[in-house]
């Protein structure tokens, strides 16, 4: 696990290669294994492979989402907004997707939707909801872009870690 965490990086450039169905199935199964508050599992996941939809999703923000158009897969993570801790539950599932992708030799990157704007008048979440026919009661937390990596990033080393953030017993 610690090696997986050290070598995990946000990968935004992907090879022009489809992801095998078994790997997509494994990713989605991992998401469904995520823990959630009171076991309520308020999330839903939409695996998007359609090129036109990926292009539209890449325009969901002015900055920070454009690279999605080069990804063969995006997993949209949404949750029932009436559940008090929907953000936490959705974020845990998104993290599990990001780490599972790495464990399968895939690169991935989180694209934030919650609290982000598509335009001055429309939130990123509402834009994605309209595009993907998502019912009103859900909010989109993020999208995880996934693909075979076409960039290399250095693994983290002990010297990169902020040990000053750690406290024992009291701050
Ligand atoms: C909550 C969250 C939101 C993020 N949003 C975006 C985003 O919208 N676009 C993007 O390109 N990267 C996004 N990232 C990726 C971060 O930029 C990245 O994790 C950070 O720079 C550290 O790099 P690393 O993941 O390679 O360690 C997000 C990461 C997190 C955890």
């Amino acid at each position: 696990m610690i090696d997986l965490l050290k070598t995990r990086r946000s990968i935004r450039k992907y090879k022009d290669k489809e992801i095998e169905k078994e790997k997509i199935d494994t990713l989605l199964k991992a998401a469904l294994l995520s823990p959630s508050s009171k076991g309520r599992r308020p999330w839903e996941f939409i695996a998007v492979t359609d090129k036109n939809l990926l292009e539209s999703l890449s325009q969901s923000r002015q900055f920070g989402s454009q690279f999605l158009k080069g990804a063969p897969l995006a997993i949209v993570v949404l949750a029932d907004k009436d559940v008090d801790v929907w953000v936490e539950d959705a974020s845990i599932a998104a993290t599990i997707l990001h780490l599972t992708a790495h464990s399968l030799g895939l690169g991935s990157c989180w694209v934030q939707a919650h609290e982000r704007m598509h335009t001055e008048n429309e939130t990123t979440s509402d834009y994605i909801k309209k595009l993907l026919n998502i019912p009103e009661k859900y909010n989109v937390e993020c999208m995880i872009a996934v693909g075979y990596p076409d960039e290399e990033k250095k693994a983290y080393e002990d010297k990169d870690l902020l040990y000053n953030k750690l406290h024992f017993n009291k701050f």
Side-chain angles (χ1 to χ4, degrees):
M1 185 68 181
I2 203 75
D3 278 344
L4 194 77
L5 293 169
K6 277 181 162 175
T7 52
R8 177 219 58 82
R9 296 298 312 270
S10 291
I11 299 298
R12 300 180 178 84
K13 289 189 185 134
Y14 311 101
K15 294 203 167 106
D16 187 13
K17 178 179 172 189
E18 272 186 26
I19 302 173
E20 299 82 345
K21 184 182 176 304
E22 305 81 73
K23 287 198 176 181
I24 298 179
D25 289 348
T26 303
L27 277 171
L28 295 171
K29 190 189 276 190
L32 293 176
L33 285 163
S34 304
S36 66
S37 172
K38 299 181 184 166
R40 276 183 297 194
R41 300 185 276 187
W43 17 247
E44 305 274 336
F45 306 97
I46 305 177
V48 179
T49 52
D50 179 275
K51 289 275 171 225
N52 291 328
L53 287 174
L54 287 164
E55 165 76 39
S56 300
L57 288 175
S58 78
Q59 293 163 20
S60 61
R61 304 242 315 269
Q62 276 177 336
F63 304 102
S65 60
Q66 280 65 24
F67 66 92
L68 263 173
K69 64 173 169 284
L73 170 69
I75 300 176
V76 183
V77 181
L78 46 141
D80 184 336
K81 61 186 177 189
D82 290 333
V83 170
D84 55 354
V85 291
W86 75 267
V87 173
E88 289 86 342
D89 287 344
S91 298
I92 289 166
T95 303
I96 285 177
L97 280 167
H98 188 34
L99 285 168
T100 304
H102 180 46
S103 79
L104 295 171
L106 298 165
S108 63
C109 187
W110 184 303
V111 180
Q112 183 70 15
H114 179 53
E115 299 289 353
R116 295 289 178 270
M117 299 300 288
H118 169 59
T119 58
E120 212 173 296
N121 302 314
E122 188 179 36
T123 66
T124 300
S125 179
D126 282 345
Y127 170 80
I128 297 169
K129 281 167 72 172
K130 213 181 288 171
L131 188 69
L132 304 180
N133 297 339
I134 297 170
E136 172 50 31
K137 72 170 185 156
Y138 297 101
N139 269 351
V140 180
E141 167 59 25
C142 65
M143 298 171 278
I144 302 295
V146 191
Y148 281 96
D150 200 20
E151 63 175 332
E152 272 189 32
K153 287 193 171 172
K154 242 168 76 351
Y156 287 105
E157 297 175 37
D158 279 357
K159 67 175 171 50
D160 301 316
L161 306 184
L162 302 181
Y163 280 99
N164 61 332
K165 299 273 189 190
L166 303 180
H167 312 276
F168 296 91
N169 292 321
K170 291 191 178 184
F171 193 99

